[in-house]
Amino acid sequence: MKSADISLKNAVRAANWAQLLDADQLARVEADTVEAFVPKGGFVCRKGEPAEYWIGVISGMVKMNNFSASGKAMTFIGVPPGSWFGEGSLLKNEIRKYDTMALRDTRVARLPAATFHWLLDTSLPFTRFLLMQLNERLGQFIGMVENDRLLDLNTRVARCLASMFNSHLYPGVDTLVQLSQEEIGLLSGSSRQRANQALQVLEKQGLLRLDYGGIRVLDLDGLRRYEADDAT
């Protein structure tokens, strides 16, 4: 079933953390979780808002970003269908530190904070899942800092694509990454034109193929190891 066609109930049940719950816990999650539609360019949540929900992407794609005082945007990560985010703000009971915007028309699931904390109190497997989630998220952001400060754009695009293949953070990603070249540019900190040039370099290296509807990853390990000096 395509993510665009999946029901809220099935999206919740398909989440890797939901499969760790007992029947009563899952029943409460299903009863409390609500769905929202966010059009392309709209805000899923905004910086400065109280963290009232844990958020899952049912279909579409969202990006986490911030804006400088001068209005310059900096994108942190993209979040594809099947992924959940925002646990850090809930755990610390603080306001959101970033904006989250829809890269395309997007459906999201919202699990209330009260239910999220109830799961922490009643489900050891859920708590273990969150520990892994936070650890993976930390590794992801450390990698982003390294990429931004040390790597050229071609390598940043390669690492950007490779980072989407994290089975814990992004369990629903297939070998066909359904991102446009414009979206790759936003996520790697470049223009669409420059992202296109980088993708063509990576395609010539046999690491990916530009397909209709997205980017087909042919060599994931190669993307993870790619350095610009590898290009011929």
Side-chain angles (χ1 to χ4, degrees), residues 19 41 49 85-86 102 133 171 179:
Q19 297 171 34
E49 289 180 344
F85 66 91
Q133 180 97 337
L179 287 172

Side-chain angles (χ1 to χ4, degrees), residues 89-107:
S89 297
L90 285 173
L91 289 168
K92 290 182 286 186
N93 191 29
E94 65 180 14
I95 61 174
R96 302 282 184 190
K97 300 294 187 181
Y98 49 81
D99 292 313
T100 306
M101 303 177 67
L103 281 171
R104 60 184 75 141
D105 287 351
T106 297
R107 295 165 58 211

Side-chain angles (χ1 to χ4, degrees), residues 58-97:
I58 302 173
S59 66
M61 172 76 71
V62 306
K63 64 172 181 174
M64 296 181 186
N65 59 251
N66 261 335
F67 294 90
S68 69
S70 63
K72 182 179 180 180
M74 179 177 66
T75 297
F76 302 131
I77 59 172
V79 186
S83 308
W84 290 73
F85 66 91
E87 60 278 349
S89 297
L90 285 173
L91 289 168
K92 290 182 286 186
N93 191 29
E94 65 180 14
I95 61 174
R96 302 282 184 190
K97 300 294 187 181

Side-chain angles (χ1 to χ4, degrees), residues 161-162 164-166 170-179 184 207-221 223:
L161 285 170
M164 303 298 292
F165 291 85
N166 182 310
Y170 310 130
V173 173
D174 195 3
T175 56
L176 179 64
V177 182
Q178 295 182 329
L179 287 172
I184 288 290
L207 302 175
L208 56 83
R209 184 174 68 242
L210 301 179
D211 281 356
Y212 177 77
I215 300 159
R216 178 76 61 184
V217 172
L218 304 177
D219 184 353
L220 178 57
D221 288 338
L223 283 176

Side-chain angles (χ1 to χ4, degrees), residues 30-217:
E30 291 177 350
D32 292 352
T33 303
V34 297
E35 180 178 333
F37 173 78
V38 184
K40 179 179 178 180
F43 287 91
V44 177
C45 54
R46 302 197 70 158
K47 182 178 179 179
E49 289 180 344
E52 298 177 335
Y53 299 97
W54 194 33
I55 303 172
V57 180
I58 302 173
S59 66
M61 172 76 71
V62 306
K63 64 172 181 174
M64 296 181 186
N65 59 251
N66 261 335
F67 294 90
S68 69
S70 63
K72 182 179 180 180
M74 179 177 66
T75 297
F76 302 131
I77 59 172
V79 186
S83 308
W84 290 73
F85 66 91
E87 60 278 349
S89 297
L90 285 173
L91 289 168
K92 290 182 286 186
N93 191 29
E94 65 180 14
I95 61 174
R96 302 282 184 190
K97 300 294 187 181
Y98 49 81
D99 292 313
T100 306
M101 303 177 67
L103 281 171
R104 60 184 75 141
D105 287 351
T106 297
R107 295 165 58 211
V108 296
R110 300 181 185 270
L111 178 71
T115 310
F116 175 88
H117 287 289
W118 175 77
L119 287 175
L120 280 176
D121 292 337
T122 61
S123 175
L124 182 58
F126 181 76
T127 302
R128 287 173 174 162
F129 170 87
L130 278 183
L131 284 173
M132 287 295 299
Q133 180 97 337
L134 292 168
N135 185 57
E136 294 290 339
R137 191 81 74 196
L138 176 61
Q140 181 184 45
F141 278 97
I142 289 173
M144 286 174 54
V145 172
E146 177 189 27
N147 293 350
D148 186 58
R149 295 185 179 180
L150 300 179
L151 304 179
D152 70 289
L153 182 58
N154 290 352
T155 309
R156 291 210 311 269
V157 169
R159 301 291 174 82
C160 175
L161 285 170
S163 71
M164 303 298 292
F165 291 85
N166 182 310
S167 60
H168 190 92
L169 295 175
Y170 310 130
V173 173
D174 195 3
T175 56
L176 179 64
V177 182
Q178 295 182 329
L179 287 172
S180 69
Q181 293 173 16
E182 179 182 8
E183 291 165 344
I184 288 290
L186 288 169
L187 295 177
S188 59
S190 67
S191 66
R192 183 190 65 78
Q193 292 84 356
R194 186 62 186 86
N196 174 261
Q197 293 172 5
L199 289 169
Q200 290 184 33
V201 170
L202 298 172
E203 186 173 36
K204 290 178 181 177
Q205 293 292 305
L207 302 175
L208 56 83
R209 184 174 68 242
L210 301 179
D211 281 356
Y212 177 77
I215 300 159
R216 178 76 61 184
V217 172

